[in-house]
Amino acid sequence: MSYFPNIPAIKFEGGASKNPLAFRYYNADEKILGKTMKEHLRFAMSWWHTMTGEGKDMFGSGTIDKSFGKTGFEKSKARVDAGFELMQKLGVTYYCFHDYDLIDERDTLAESNAALVEITDYMLKKQNEMGLKCLWGTSNLFSNKRYMFGAGTAPNADVFAYAAAQVKQNIDVSVKLGANGIVFWGGREGYETLLNTDMGLELDNLARFLHMAVDYARSIGFKGDFFIEPKPKEPSKHQYDFDAATAIGFLNKYGLDKDFKMNIEANHATLAGHTFEHELRVSAINDMLGSIDANQGDMLLGWDTDQFPTDVYSTTYCMLEVLRAGGFKTGGLNFDAKGRRGSFTHDDLFLSYIAGMDAFALGLIKAAKIIEDGRVDGFVKERYSSWSSGIGKDITDGKLGLKELSDYALKKGEVTTNISGKQEYLENIVNQVLFN
Ligand code: XUL
Ligand code: CO
């Protein structure tokens, strides 16, 4: 039985195609810089937006029905069938999930755990038959009211213990599903006011919580990566994993840096006042660029709109960072994205994914062209050339201190060697690559 009987398998038809149910740029088997597009992009479906999100917002009810005419556990199974059909038709190999996307949370932890085991048994059998895979799993530690003050950073130790139990169960099912990664997004790991908050204890506890997760997952044979997904705010006023630099500092301080990498989300970067590519670069230079939640925000709105990415400048700059960092290893491009509330048909699910996948394929093609063109990288190399010989080399070799540099500068006099940064020229090269 088909859940999307009107949708064919989506094929690549090339840039001139006007068929809405075709890719214009994503050609899975086409090679770019030695790897296929599919290998570079490692697209993943987000279970929450795609299979459970029903278009509710703070002011209005759902607009799209994802119950497929079922309730309870039957609804969860139908979503597996429908989700896997959608993935197969789009050629998306991976999916990402929260525990309580797969089933509705039950009245007790024991019942929720049992339902999770049952649904993931069903998924495992089916994904093996269909050749589909799990990119990462995560625990929903933010929706239930018990987590109103956080989970790993809760002021109440019983909440910490409950969250730990939930994480244990989710690690069990994620490992069973063959997940490449385990994600921690700390939407409630933060605070509203310092008047009621012991920040030092909360951060120490968060580190304890993450160490427990690593120890347990490794003990049952998990070999993949753990990912922190930074976000500065929403739903908490101040979130501890504010941005990549903050999260990396935390991981280094608590000895978690060998097991964790970043899962960078585009719209979280902009909420933190950064560009997407800034967050990717900060991760990459710390050897922590793990995975990506692909979406885009709206610069006129101050919240996380999770739109499907269609801005090709942004996807190009993103893929430039990914290519320069050597590509994904355990991670991939997960569409943490939802159609607009007014895009309420099941067809829109496909049209949204096609738009996002095409935008990233185009970004990949253009990023490779910028690298092959060589002018941008060549410019940067030249700009820093004073560091590869003479005084610059002596500084990076650690041979000189302030005294020696003072002697050098006094002798040399005023600096006359600055060269223009040529930002406009470089931006125009990007336009030439994008639109030629
Ligand atoms: C929230 C967000 C989450 C994480 C997983 O802004 O991005 O969906 O990706 O918990
Ligand atoms: Co996300």
Side-chain angles (χ1 to χ4, degrees):
M1 168 206 170
S2 170
Y3 286 85
F4 309 105
N6 303 326
I7 307 284
I10 310 299
K11 301 248 164 31
F12 170 72
E13 291 188 1
S17 171
K18 293 195 173 166
N19 175 4
L21 293 171
F23 294 118
R24 269 153 280 278
Y25 306 104
Y26 181 58
N27 186 10
D29 298 324
E30 183 182 327
K31 285 210 167 166
I32 309 267
L33 300 179
K35 279 203 295 191
T36 64
M37 284 198 185
K38 192 178 171 130
E39 288 163 342
H40 275 292
L41 294 165
R42 290 168 62 87
F43 287 130
M45 175 192 83
S46 59
W47 211 273
W48 53 105
H49 292 309
T50 315
M51 296 327 300
T52 70
E54 294 184 321
K56 294 190 187 101
D57 71 13
M58 271 159 50
F59 299 94
S61 58
T63 57
I64 177 167
D65 182 17
K66 307 254 180 84
S67 67
F68 302 103
K70 308 260 169 47
T71 54
F73 194 71
E74 287 308 309
K75 179 185 72 183
S76 302
K77 273 176 81 177
R79 285 173 171 172
V80 173
D81 298 341
F84 284 178
E85 179 183 337
L86 176 135
M87 287 170 65
Q88 199 164 53
K89 286 187 164 165
L90 286 164
V92 169
T93 308
Y94 295 95
Y95 64 87
C96 302
F97 70 95
H98 300 84
D99 39 12
Y100 300 145
D101 301 334
L102 302 182
I103 51 140
D104 296 329
E105 187 173 3
R106 305 292 201 264
D107 291 340
T108 68
L109 182 60
E111 287 171 281
S112 296
N113 286 353
L116 264 180
V117 169
E118 198 177 338
I119 197 76
T120 49
D121 283 345
Y122 183 67
M123 290 167 73
L124 183 62
K125 187 164 171 295
K126 211 164 166 153
Q127 75 185 39
N128 287 341
E129 284 163 12
M130 296 175 73
L132 304 175
K133 295 176 186 161
C134 177
L135 189 67
W136 53 254
T138 188
S139 304
N140 181 331
L141 303 175
F142 44 88
S143 295
N144 191 292
K145 69 177 184 215
R146 85 177 70 83
Y147 298 125
M148 65 178 84
F149 304 122
T153 63
N156 176 351
D158 278 344
V159 174
F160 182 106
Y162 199 105
Q166 200 184 313
V167 166
K168 174 189 173 294
Q169 181 65 17
N170 190 56
I171 289 174
D172 283 338
V173 297
S174 297
V175 170
K176 177 170 85 181
L177 292 169
N180 291 351
I182 308 280
V183 163
F184 288 87
W185 168 64
R188 306 260 180 218
E189 312 293 22
Y191 68 91
E192 303 297 314
T193 170
L194 285 176
L195 290 173
N196 65 13
T197 302
D198 183 343
M199 189 195 283
L201 178 64
E202 290 200 0
L203 284 164
D204 288 349
N205 281 346
L206 181 58
R208 289 186 181 101
F209 191 73
L210 298 178
H211 270 294
M212 287 177 196
V214 171
D215 290 348
Y216 179 71
R218 297 294 183 221
S219 81
I220 62 162
F222 177 65
K223 302 256 184 315
D225 284 318
F226 296 83
F227 300 118
I228 294 273
E229 185 178 323
K231 185 176 184 184
K233 58 187 169 192
E234 196 201 7
S236 297
K237 174 179 167 184
H238 184 105
Q239 280 163 215
Y240 291 132
D241 298 324
F242 189 91
D243 60 2
T246 312
I248 291 168
F250 168 87
L251 294 172
N252 287 337
K253 173 177 174 187
Y254 290 101
L256 289 156
D257 49 305
K258 296 286 168 291
D259 293 288
F260 276 85
K261 293 187 166 27
M262 295 295 113
N263 180 42
I264 296 299
E265 178 162 327
N267 205 167
H268 296 182
T270 48
L271 283 179
H274 302 307
T275 60
F276 185 17
E277 57 272 20
H278 168 92
E279 288 293 85
L280 295 169
R281 180 70 66 92
V282 169
S283 307
I285 62 172
N286 286 285
D287 201 17
M288 285 205 191
L289 176 48
S291 203
I292 288 177
D293 267 12
N295 58 27
Q296 69 188 28
D298 184 320
M299 292 308 165
L300 299 183
L301 301 175
W303 61 91
D304 192 13
T305 56
D306 284 339
Q307 291 169 223
F308 270 90
T310 51
D311 176 347
V312 179
Y313 282 103
S314 174
T315 59
T316 301
Y317 289 132
C318 167
M319 290 314 298
L320 254 182
E321 296 306 316
V322 172
L323 289 175
R324 286 172 172 152
F328 293 117
K329 291 178 185 75
T330 54
L333 272 169
N334 167 47
F335 286 106
D336 189 351
K338 55 189 176 205
R340 298 305 78 205
R341 187 163 179 262
S343 303
F344 59 85
T345 69
H346 283 179
D347 290 6
D348 286 311
L349 287 176
F350 286 85
L351 297 173
S352 309
Y353 269 90
I354 292 168
M357 291 166 76
D358 261 345
F360 264 95
L362 200 46
L364 169 63
I365 294 166
K366 297 299 180 184
K369 287 225 161 75
I370 291 172
I371 290 173
E372 280 166 345
D373 175 275
R375 280 175 291 169
V376 172
D377 286 340
F379 183 85
V380 174
K381 193 154 179 260
E382 180 58 27
R383 189 167 189 232
Y384 291 87
S385 59
S386 67
W387 295 94
S388 42
S389 63
I391 189 81
K393 176 108 182 19
D394 287 347
I395 294 171
T396 55
D397 285 348
K399 288 188 186 154
L400 307 176
L402 286 192
K403 163 98 185 47
E404 293 76 15
L405 291 177
S406 169
D407 294 345
Y408 174 85
L410 284 168
K411 197 160 145 230
K412 191 119 208 235
E414 189 50 73
V415 176
T416 56
T417 46
N418 265 338
I419 54 169
S420 165
K422 294 206 172 359
Q423 181 172 333
E424 300 78 2
Y425 160 71
L426 295 164
E427 287 168 349
N428 204 21
I429 291 176
V430 172
N431 279 347
Q432 186 188 13
V433 172
L434 248 48
F435 299 107
N436 244 359

